């Protein structure tokens, strides 16, 4: 459904993406892993048009244009949550819904989504700056899924969460894919998340997809980079100082 | 030869940079204006900005006008005394306030108060990816953030100028009647008799233009802000400086257009 072909992106002399090729099939969950600073977040932003690739194409449903139509059935959790700090929590979650629903309906849906990410109704009327980092992350997640989008990107959904809450979020993302048939791309460093969420895994390294395959192949990839990454070894083909 | 060419090259680069910046601002302004005319419209955001930019600027603009009107009366009295023309104080205070000082000082105070806060707010939103988040929620930042601010500032500023004019004239009246021995009734009669419709209207038109400039500069520098806290600071500073300079330049051009013989 989402296809990257030969995507390049540089910021000045920093060549972040150097030919990314990747295919994400409809209704599946792709997890992208890779070292910090390898361009995982930039890859997602290229799909949204927030960053324009220097070269290469990204197609959604076989089309490369019409970003508005694509965005109308899309949701995204940003790495830094990116909540609107001038709006209370529930209006953040219901931002898109407030256009199509009455205020009361939108609020009810927002409270339901907040509950699904493990937040009590009391937080609904607080402002984002009143919340802890992990709570902000979960509000961002609730906002991403609020309008039941078909395509969802999660940028590090479990960083900053305690292990139990991380488990809740992993299960939620899995459920969204399995039960609602959404197509998702998740970025994570957390191997438990990878194993819970992924149908397919892709590893980004040195600006390219180093390895990609189904989750059950991850432990037998035969790729030294992947092995080093999933076992968290300090030595191997990936240098520690990058 | 480099001692000849390098200053020239620097000058050229400066001129090119200035031209490019002017072009970018013009494109931004054109895009903002075109978005004003096309739906969706965010009425709530507009009303909020009207309160922020208009209502909450009243104290600053009012105090500025009050003290300026008072000082103007003292100065004109002292100047007028040199050729025994003290009686011009009421009419010159009124004309000076409504044509020049009301719009210009009001505009500069609003630039300091509003351009800075718009730029800082939007730049912070940019740095924390809130602008990106808006896009992913099918909301155009230009419509949701820029249009309400520009509309509110353009509509509120003439009202602020009108209020400032009245308060400035009152400042002159207070000083004139308490310190300069003017008869209250004669002062008021002198003020109204010599003030023409176009004196006031031209000042209000100036106000609308200055309001547009203030919001445009705040939004432009916020939207094009660099990364990090430093980017926010630089955007805020650039917004206030450019809005102030553009207000003074526009004021000259408008005065030339309205009143040049
Ligand atoms: N707007 C930008 N301007 C300049 N450089 C950028 C920009 N966005 C990202 N970069 C650079 O691109 C590189 C990749 O950034 P990116 O955020 O995609 O990393 P990442 O893989 O998501 O890392 P992490 O796991 O730490 O989040 C970094 O070197 C970063 O400095
Ligand atoms: Mg990232």
């Amino acid at each position: 459904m989402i296809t990257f072909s030969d995507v390049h992106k540089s910021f000045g002399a920093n060549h972040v993406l150097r030919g990314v090729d990747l295919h994400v099939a409809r209704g599946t969950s792709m997890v992208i892993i890779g070292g910090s600073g390898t361009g995982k977040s930039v890859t997602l932003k290229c799909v949204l048009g927030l960053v324009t690739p220097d070269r290469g194409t990204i197609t959604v449903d076989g089309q490369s244009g019409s970003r508005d139509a694509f965005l109308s059935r899309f949701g995204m959790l940003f790495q830094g949550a990116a909540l609107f700090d001038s709006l209370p929590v529930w209006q953040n979650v219901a931002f898109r819904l407030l256009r199509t629903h009455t205020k009361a309906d939108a609020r009810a849906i927002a409270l339901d989504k907040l509950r699904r990410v493990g937040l009590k109704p009391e937080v609904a009327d607080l402002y984002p700056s009143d919340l802890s980092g992990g709570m902000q992350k979960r509000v961002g997640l609730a906002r991403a899924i609020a309008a039941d989008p078909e395509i969802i990107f999660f940028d590090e959904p479990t960083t900053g969460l305690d292990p139990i809450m991380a488990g809740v979020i992993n299960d939620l993302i899995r459920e969204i894919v399995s039960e609602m048939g959404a197509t998702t791309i998740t970025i994570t460093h957390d191997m438990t998340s990878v194993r819970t969420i992924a149908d397919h895994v892709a590893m980004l390294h040195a600006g390219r997809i180093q390895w990609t395959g189904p989750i059950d192949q991850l432990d037998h990839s035969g790729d030294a980079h992947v092995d080093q990454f999933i076992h968290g070894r300090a030595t191997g083909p990936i240098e520690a100082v990058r | 030869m480099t001692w000849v060419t390098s200053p020239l090259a620097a000058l050229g680069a400066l001129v090119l940079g200035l031209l490019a910046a002017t072009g970018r601002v013009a494109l931004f302004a054109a895009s903002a204006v075109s978005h004003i005319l096309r739906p969706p419209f965010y009425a709530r955001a507009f009303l909020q900005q009207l309160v922020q930019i208009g209502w909450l600027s009243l104290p600053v603009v009012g105090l500025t006008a009050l003290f300026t009107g008072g000082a103007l009366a003292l100065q004109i009295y002292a100047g007028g005394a040199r050729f025994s023309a003290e009686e011009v104080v009421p009419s010159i205070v009124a004309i000076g306030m409504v044509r020049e000082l009301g719009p210009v000082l009001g505009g500069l105070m609003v630039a300091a108060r509003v351009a800075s806060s718009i730029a800082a707010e939007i730049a912070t939103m940019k740095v924390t990816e809130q602008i990106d988040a808006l896009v992913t929620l099918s909301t155009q930042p230009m419509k949701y953030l820029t249009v309400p601010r520009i509309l509110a500032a353009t509509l509120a500023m003439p009202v602020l100028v009108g209020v400032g004019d009245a308060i400035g004239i009152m400042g002159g009246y207070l000083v004139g009647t308490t310190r300069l021995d003017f008869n209250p009734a004669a002062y008021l009669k002198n003020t109204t008799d010599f003030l023409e419709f176009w004196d006031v209207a031209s000042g209000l038109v100036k106000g609308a233009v200055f309001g547009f400039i203030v919001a445009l500069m705040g939004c432009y520098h916020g939207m094009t802000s660099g990364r990090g806290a430093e980017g926010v600071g630089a955007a805020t500073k650039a917004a206030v400086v450019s809005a102030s300079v553009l207000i003074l330049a526009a004021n000259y051009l408008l005065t030339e257009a309205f009143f040049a013989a």
Side-chain angles (χ1 to χ4, degrees), chain A residues 159-205:
Chain A
T159 17
L161 302 184
D162 64 73
I164 298 170
M165 201 42 79
V168 169
I169 299 304
N170 289 335
D171 291 346
L172 173 65
I173 294 177
R174 187 63 246 175
E175 188 186 315
I176 287 170
V177 179
S178 308
E179 289 172 19
M180 288 157 56
T183 309
T184 63
I185 302 183
T186 308
I187 295 173
T188 184
H189 297 294
D190 173 357
M191 291 318 293
T192 318
S193 286
V194 178
R195 292 180 200 283
T196 319
I197 298 172
D199 292 318
H200 291 84
V201 181
M203 178 166 176
L204 192 63
H205 176 68

Side-chain angles (χ1 to χ4, degrees), chain A residues 45 83 85 95-96 99, chain B residues 129-130 135-139:
Chain A
K45 287 181 185 173
L83 301 178
D85 36 36
F95 193 87
R96 198 191 274 276
R99 246 173 277 160
Chain B
E129 296 186 317
Q130 292 178 51
V135 174
T136 67
L137 291 162
S138 300
T139 303

Side-chain angles (χ1 to χ4, degrees), chain A residues 11 14 16 34-43 45 51 79 155-156 187 189 204, chain B residues 227:
Chain A
F11 296 101
N14 181 5
V16 180
S36 185
T38 47
K40 302 181 299 297
S41 298
V42 168
T43 305
K45 287 181 185 173
V51 169
Q79 189 168 351
D155 198 343
E156 305 198 6
I187 295 173
H189 297 294
L204 192 63
Chain B
R227 287 145 68 85

Side-chain angles (χ1 to χ4, degrees), chain A residues 17 26 33 44 58 71 81 83 117 124 130 143-144 151 160 179 193 212 215 227 232-233 238 242:
Chain A
L17 303 181
R26 180 184 298 277
I33 56 175
L44 294 192
I58 300 170
L71 288 176
L83 301 178
V117 297
D130 303 333
R143 181 175 70 181
I151 307 165
E179 289 172 19
S193 286
T212 180
I215 179 67
D227 283 342
R233 297 194 195 100
I238 306 175
R242 278 165 272 144

Side-chain angles (χ1 to χ4, degrees), chain A residues 7-55:
Chain A
V7 173
H8 289 248
K9 179 69 197 178
S10 303
F11 296 101
N14 181 5
H15 303 293
V16 180
L17 303 181
R18 311 179 191 187
V20 172
D21 292 291
L22 187 65
H23 178 74
V24 183
R26 180 184 298 277
T28 64
S29 167
M30 170 65 80
V31 170
I32 300 181
I33 56 175
S36 185
T38 47
K40 302 181 299 297
S41 298
V42 168
T43 305
L44 294 192
K45 287 181 185 173
C46 282
V47 184
L48 309 182
L50 297 173
V51 169
T52 318
D54 300 331
R55 193 139 62 83

